[in-house]
Amino acid sequence: MSSQAVTPARSGSVLTGLLIAAGVLSLVLLLGVAVFFVFSSIPEAFWNSPAGWVAVTTGQILAFVVVLLLSLAFLLYADRKIWAAMALRRGPNVVGPFGLLQSFADGLKVFLKETIIPSASNRGLFLLAPVITFTLALIGWAVIPFGPGWVVSDLNVGILYLFAVSSLGVYGIIMGGWASNSKYAFLGSLRSAAQMVSYEVSIGFVIITVILLAGTMNLSGIVENQRGWFWDWHVFGGGLAGLPLMLVMVPMAVIFFVSFLAETNRPPFDLPEAESELVAGYAVEYGSTPYLLFQIGEYANIVLMCCLYTILFFGGWHPGFPTGAENWPPILASMFGFGVFAIKTVFVFFLVSIAKAIVPRYRYDQLMRLGWKVFLPTSLVAVIAMAAYRVFGPEIA
């Protein structure tokens, strides 16, 4: 049988993709217009009441979660396409135009599978572990500002909130590995605990250098501190007066990037689920929806760290040159800022995908040595240097 007889026809796939995109966009616009008219018919007194506040907040959270989950599906598709391109393969290309619906097909397939619980496991903790991982992965997004005024909760201590939530994330993995009553899963959870604790210390010191430079722990304030040209971004020292701080901030940006790869169990630091040694690590006994919750939580954490990296070092929603957006209509300025922020975040995610494709997996002793003997002393010295510069150095605008 010739190859042409089994290869699906792809003529017109570009036109089909454009038609689907246009249809989805039209549906979203119609839905937005309908929602606008419905909400405009409700008296203003209702929105000023406690019930109105609860309704608005709940609507914002639900809308955000839906958009986040859809974004994760397409980022996973992009992730697989990047890996395929690095290996000279095509990647997902059958389900939907250009394979764009592959993530939805995989999610539906996993969701419809039977949930099998090992007979010797702790049933309650076994089912609770992925729920904890999924929940903690989502609540961290509450303080991430995507644009001017686009944040669910603009906390003054947003960085501390994120650090606390990320520290709790290890409990879901530990519970899952222990409750599975499997040596492979238990070893994977122990690896994950040691790995996440080791690199959280370095991430904490790196964040302290950014706080000292910005003078605030509010994430929106950190972004606003980088307004202006690209040399005002923290990675370049926060302005022309702070250019000597590049000697501190550029290494800190590199350490933060590598550390968040280890913090999220991302290759080349995916030792907790190393298939050559532990089959699937802490998730080896999981399937169906619980396994899906683990995977969604993992990818949500990865994209969250990409967003945080953009906020701390690369100006957030500021493009790096004056645009006069402050004089635009507020909704237009917010949408422009969100577009800039999304482009930067996707680029960081691209670097994360490239790291998996080109860097071989570390041995566990190499992983621990890098965290404790290289990153920890370097970040601690950087904190001391940044504090000394802010006290004794020139004023940074």
Side-chain angles (χ1 to χ4, degrees):
M1 183 182 295
S2 66
S3 61
Q4 294 181 354
V6 296
T7 302
R10 291 184 172 83
S11 60
S13 60
V14 176
L15 180 60
T16 304
L18 292 176
L19 290 175
I20 291 176
V24 171
L25 182 59
S26 303
L27 184 61
V28 170
L29 289 176
L30 289 174
L31 184 61
V33 171
V35 170
F36 173 76
F37 280 112
V38 169
F39 277 87
S40 22
S41 63
I42 299 176
E44 185 176 352
F46 172 78
W47 301 118
N48 297 327
S49 65
W53 179 86
V54 170
V56 170
T57 305
T58 304
Q60 287 177 339
I61 293 173
L62 289 176
F64 170 75
V65 170
V66 170
V67 173
L68 174 62
L69 294 179
L70 290 175
S71 302
L72 290 178
F74 287 111
L75 285 173
L76 175 58
Y77 165 80
D79 205 11
R80 297 174 65 179
K81 276 291 191 180
I82 293 169
W83 302 341
M86 295 296 291
L88 299 179
R89 295 184 289 105
R90 297 189 63 182
N93 59 76
V94 174
V95 184
F98 313 109
L100 286 170
L101 302 181
Q102 183 67 55
S103 298
F104 299 96
D106 292 339
L108 181 63
K109 179 186 70 173
V110 175
F111 179 75
L112 294 178
K113 285 182 176 292
E114 179 186 2
T115 300
I116 299 176
I117 302 176
S119 58
S121 67
N122 186 313
R123 185 184 183 91
L125 293 180
F126 185 84
L127 295 176
L128 183 61
V131 175
I132 290 177
T133 299
F134 176 76
T135 304
L136 291 174
L138 291 186
I139 64 176
W141 288 87
V143 296
I144 296 293
F146 302 96
W150 285 27
V151 58
V152 176
S153 181
D154 196 19
L155 296 180
N156 288 330
V157 288
I159 284 186
L160 289 182
Y161 172 85
L162 272 181
F163 202 63
V165 170
S166 65
S167 300
L168 292 173
V170 68
Y171 287 105
I173 294 176
I174 292 177
M175 288 173 58
W178 182 83
S180 297
N181 196 27
S182 165
K183 292 182 175 62
Y184 287 133
F186 188 57
L187 285 173
S189 64
L190 289 179
R191 281 186 173 188
S192 179
Q195 180 172 322
M196 294 176 76
V197 169
S198 300
Y199 282 86
E200 272 180 2
V201 179
S202 301
I203 288 178
F205 282 129
V206 172
I207 289 176
I208 290 175
T209 62
V210 176
I211 293 174
L212 289 172
L213 184 59
T216 178
M217 287 189 286
N218 178 271
L219 292 174
S220 297
I222 290 175
V223 174
E224 288 302 323
N225 190 61
Q226 303 172 79
R227 176 190 295 273
W229 292 91
F230 64 89
W231 54 73
D232 294 311
W233 295 351
H234 288 159
V235 69
F236 299 117
L240 293 176
L243 281 181
L245 292 177
M246 281 184 61
L247 298 176
V248 174
M249 297 310 295
V250 170
M252 290 303 97
V254 173
I255 289 177
F256 188 90
F257 181 80
V258 177
S259 295
F260 90 66
L261 291 180
E263 174 80 4
T264 56
N265 301 326
R266 183 74 179 180
F269 306 113
D270 56 337
L271 277 303
E273 45 190 296
E275 70 276 358
S276 58
E277 307 147 26
L278 304 180
V279 187
Y282 62 89
V284 69
E285 299 292 347
Y286 282 90
S288 186
T289 304
Y291 179 77
L292 183 63
L293 292 178
F294 266 131
Q295 295 305 306
I296 293 176
E298 180 177 321
Y299 265 89
N301 281 326
I302 293 169
V303 182
L304 174 68
M305 296 304 287
C306 292
C307 293
L308 187 60
Y309 191 63
T310 300
I311 290 170
L312 295 180
F313 294 101
F314 292 98
W317 58 79
H318 296 302
F321 52 87
T323 59
E326 59 274 6
N327 300 322
W328 299 357
I331 184 63
L332 192 59
S334 296
M335 292 180 66
F336 173 76
F338 173 74
V340 172
F341 183 84
I343 291 172
K344 292 181 181 180
T345 301
V346 170
F347 178 73
V348 177
F349 186 82
F350 172 77
L351 297 180
V352 172
S353 298
I354 289 294
K356 172 170 183 173
I358 65 176
V359 182
R361 177 183 291 142
Y362 273 45
R363 294 197 318 265
Y364 198 72
D365 62 310
Q366 294 174 327
L367 176 72
M368 291 292 106
R369 186 184 305 119
L370 180 66
W372 290 108
K373 293 187 176 181
V374 179
F375 285 179
L376 178 60
T378 305
S379 57
L380 184 57
V381 169
V383 169
I384 297 173
M386 178 63 71
Y389 190 91
R390 291 313 304 263
V391 173
F392 302 108
E395 184 70 22
I396 301 177

